[in-house]
């Protein structure tokens, strides 16, 4: 098992196809996963990669992608590739259109195709890696589980653009578009280390969801949700109580769903308020249910930049003894990335120093999928995850 990362600068997008082709002229990876700026010509990326025999997935990331290796420390890569070389492993990519199939069936169809393309259609993969259209990720995860059950870990992120206007994109060898769901079935020849977490801590303020519909919080503790949230956050969204966008304001104060682990520890799956309706309801980026308990969380630039290192270390610690890490796929929430601003550079520099020989690559996403140590796959917001490949 070997990992190589590659950055492609695209100041002149007319040369993009030539640059992509040049990268793989003399390489034969087992799998290529790429992330890039949503403004790239993704059709050209697809055309330049399709002649090769390896499976690939390339998806859009908010303000470019992150790459940290021996040559590059950058959070605004035009296009970055994470290349897996594993002749003894097996990898397959599958895709489906969410609008044409519905989210549940699209998830099932895409995974069936990925398993078939891996050459192991009747086996359970070690990992499912995905790039999903924002909106109904919970149903897509259920579609995956309908094929392989609930014990296979699912990690990945929801596609993103630079302005939350739906200009995201994903391409595989046979699919392209903002409603394309793409999934990788991974059967690596060596173990993986997995970690899924957030950089936020709970406050002492807890709510009960008294009324909700899907991704809309209507009432908390019997009060219109926006009013309850505004009161608990010392008037954080006072000017938007009659309607408006609050995405940037609430990145430092999301809501968390407590998840109790077997050892009694509590992890928090985060839920990010996005906007307020005229009726005082809060729209959020993940599903909420009536009678759920939600805890007001708090985060800082320092906690969000330090968390990335801890998540990678946690994943490395979960590798079997004497296994050397050789590469990391990392998901970092776009909301966190926007909140930390220029401090993202220091975060990546610290990662390069801490993990000097370990290539790290990934996107900034509008939703994160992963599995806590309780073994259940979930979709959350403002989360960070790491997949560590080993030698």
């Amino acid at each position: 098992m070997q990992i190589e990362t590659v950055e492609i600068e695209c100041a002149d997008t007319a040369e993009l196809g030539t640059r992509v082709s040049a990268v793989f002229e003399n390489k034969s990876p087992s799998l290529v996963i790429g992330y890039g700026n949503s403004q790239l010509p993704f059709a050209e990326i697809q055309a330049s990669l399709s002649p090769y025999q390896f499976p690939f997935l390339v998806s859009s990331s908010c303000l470019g992608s992150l790459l940290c290796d021996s040559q590059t420390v950058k959070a605004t890569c035009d296009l970055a590739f994470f290349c897996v070389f594993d002749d003894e492993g097996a990898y397959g990519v599958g895709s489906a259109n969410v609008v044409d199939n519905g989210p549940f069936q699209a998830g099932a169809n895409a995974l069936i195709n990925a398993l078939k393309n891996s050459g192991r259609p009747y086996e359970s993969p070690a990992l499912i890696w995905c790039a999903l259209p924002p909106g109904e990720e919970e149903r897509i995860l259920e579609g995956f589980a309908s094929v392989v059950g609930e014990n296979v870990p699912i990690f990945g992120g929801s596609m993103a653009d630079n302005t939350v206007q739906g200009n995201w994109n994903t391409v595989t060898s046979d699919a392209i578009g903002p409603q394309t769901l793409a999934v990788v079935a991974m059967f690596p020849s060596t173990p993986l280390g997995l970690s899924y977490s957030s950089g936020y801590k709970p406050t002492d303020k807890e709510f009960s969801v008294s009324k909700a519909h899907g991704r809309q919080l209507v009432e908390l503790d019997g009060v219109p949700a926006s009013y309850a949230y505004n009161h608990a956050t010392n008037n954080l969204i006072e000017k938007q109580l009659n309607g408006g966008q609050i995405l940037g304001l609430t990145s430092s104060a999301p809501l968390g769903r407590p998840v109790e682990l077997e050892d009694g520890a509590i992890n928090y799956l985060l839920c990010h308020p996005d906007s307020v309706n005229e009726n005082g309801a809060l729209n959020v980026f993940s599903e909420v249910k009536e009678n759920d308990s939600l805890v007001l969380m708090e985060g800082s630039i320092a906690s969000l930049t330090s968390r990335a290192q801890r998540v990678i270390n946690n994943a490395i610690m979960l590798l079997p003894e004497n296994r050397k890490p050789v590469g990391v796929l990392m998901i970092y929430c776009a909301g966190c990335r926007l909140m930390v601003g220029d401090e993202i550079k220091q975060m990546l520099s610290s990662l390069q120093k801490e993990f000097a020989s370990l290539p790290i690559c990934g996107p900034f996403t509008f939703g994160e999928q992963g599995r806590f140590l309780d073994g259940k796959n979930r979709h959350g917001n403002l989360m960070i995850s790491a997949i560590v490949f080993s030698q």
Side-chain angles (χ1 to χ4, degrees):
M1 168 77 76
Q2 289 184 320
I3 301 295
E4 291 185 17
T5 46
V6 181
E7 179 196 9
I8 297 179
E9 295 182 353
C10 305
D12 184 357
T13 56
E15 298 180 3
L16 177 59
T18 302
R19 289 176 178 266
V20 171
S21 298
V23 169
F24 297 105
E25 277 181 345
N26 300 308
K27 296 181 189 290
S28 298
S30 307
L31 171 70
V32 172
I33 295 177
Y35 294 101
N37 196 298
S38 62
Q39 297 175 332
L40 291 177
F42 278 80
E44 191 165 340
I45 297 173
Q46 181 189 48
S48 60
L49 290 174
S50 291
Y52 300 100
Q53 296 301 309
F54 54 76
F56 68 86
L57 176 167
V58 182
S59 189
S60 60
S61 168
C62 182
L63 301 177
S65 56
L66 69 91
L67 181 60
C68 178
D69 59 23
S70 58
Q71 283 81 40
T72 306
V73 180
K74 198 170 180 180
T76 56
C77 292
D78 292 330
L79 181 60
F81 289 120
F82 186 90
C83 306
V84 179
F85 295 84
D86 183 14
D87 291 340
E88 297 180 8
Y91 302 85
V93 172
S95 55
N97 187 286
V98 172
V99 173
D100 293 344
N101 296 271
F104 178 93
Q105 197 59 48
N109 291 349
L111 183 54
I112 289 169
N113 290 335
L115 292 168
K116 179 182 177 181
N117 293 335
S118 74
R120 300 186 181 181
Y122 305 112
E123 300 180 38
S124 291
L127 175 73
I128 294 168
W129 183 262
C130 58
L132 309 182
E136 297 191 78
E137 290 93 336
E138 291 90 353
R139 303 290 82 73
I140 295 172
L141 296 187
E142 291 171 359
F144 293 157
S146 73
V147 177
V148 295
E150 297 184 351
N151 295 325
V152 177
I154 301 170
F155 277 72
S158 306
M159 295 182 278
D161 64 4
N162 300 339
T163 54
V164 201
Q165 292 184 337
N167 297 320
W168 41 74
N169 213 326
T170 289
V171 299
T172 66
S173 61
D174 56 4
I176 183 171
Q179 293 301 321
T180 293
L181 176 168
V183 59
V184 186
M186 294 192 186
F187 297 87
S189 62
T190 53
L192 301 171
L194 317 173
S195 182
Y196 180 58
S197 184
S198 82
Y200 294 76
K201 64 180 182 180
T203 68
D204 59 3
K205 179 56 183 177
E206 185 171 344
F207 306 96
S208 176
V209 179
S210 43
K211 190 174 183 181
H213 304 294
R215 294 188 172 189
Q216 187 178 91
L217 273 171
V218 182
E219 292 182 0
L220 295 170
D221 297 328
V223 177
S226 63
Y227 285 81
Y229 177 85
N230 186 60
H231 178 72
T233 57
N234 297 314
N235 302 320
L236 182 65
I237 59 169
E238 182 77 19
K239 295 180 180 179
Q240 291 82 18
L241 288 177
N242 294 319
Q245 289 291 325
I246 57 172
L247 186 66
L249 294 171
T250 58
S251 292
S252 61
L255 299 168
R257 278 168 281 184
V259 177
E260 185 172 357
L261 307 182
E262 289 184 359
D263 62 1
I266 301 292
N267 276 1
Y268 291 88
L269 185 72
L270 300 189
C271 178
H272 191 181
D274 154 57
S275 61
V276 179
N277 284 2
E278 292 181 0
N279 63 358
L282 285 176
N283 296 315
V284 294
F285 273 132
S286 56
E287 191 172 78
V288 286
K289 296 181 180 179
E290 292 181 2
N291 300 316
D292 276 355
S293 292
L294 294 175
V295 177
L296 181 66
M297 309 291 288
E298 61 182 7
S300 65
I301 290 175
S303 68
L304 295 179
T305 51
S306 63
R307 176 61 63 166
Q309 182 174 317
R310 291 177 61 185
V311 169
I312 294 174
N313 271 322
N314 288 344
I316 292 174
M317 289 174 61
L318 292 171
L319 289 173
E321 191 174 356
N322 298 323
R323 287 289 183 175
K324 177 187 175 184
V326 293
V328 181
L329 269 175
M330 187 169 80
I331 298 287
Y332 197 92
C333 172
C336 296
R337 189 260 178 274
L338 294 172
M339 180 176 165
V340 303
D342 287 342
E343 291 299 312
I344 196 77
K345 300 173 186 176
Q346 182 58 44
M347 183 190 89
L348 293 180
S349 295
S350 296
L351 293 183
Q352 187 191 47
K353 183 177 180 181
E354 175 73 12
F355 308 107
S357 60
L358 202 58
I360 303 167
C361 182
F364 302 108
T365 53
F366 284 167
E368 299 75 46
Q369 296 80 51
R371 185 175 74 168
F372 286 147
L373 292 177
D374 67 347
K376 185 173 181 180
N377 296 305
R378 295 177 171 88
H379 165 72
N381 310 137
L382 299 165
M383 306 292 287
I384 306 169
S385 71
I387 305 296
V388 175
F389 292 75
S390 70
Q391 202 169 56

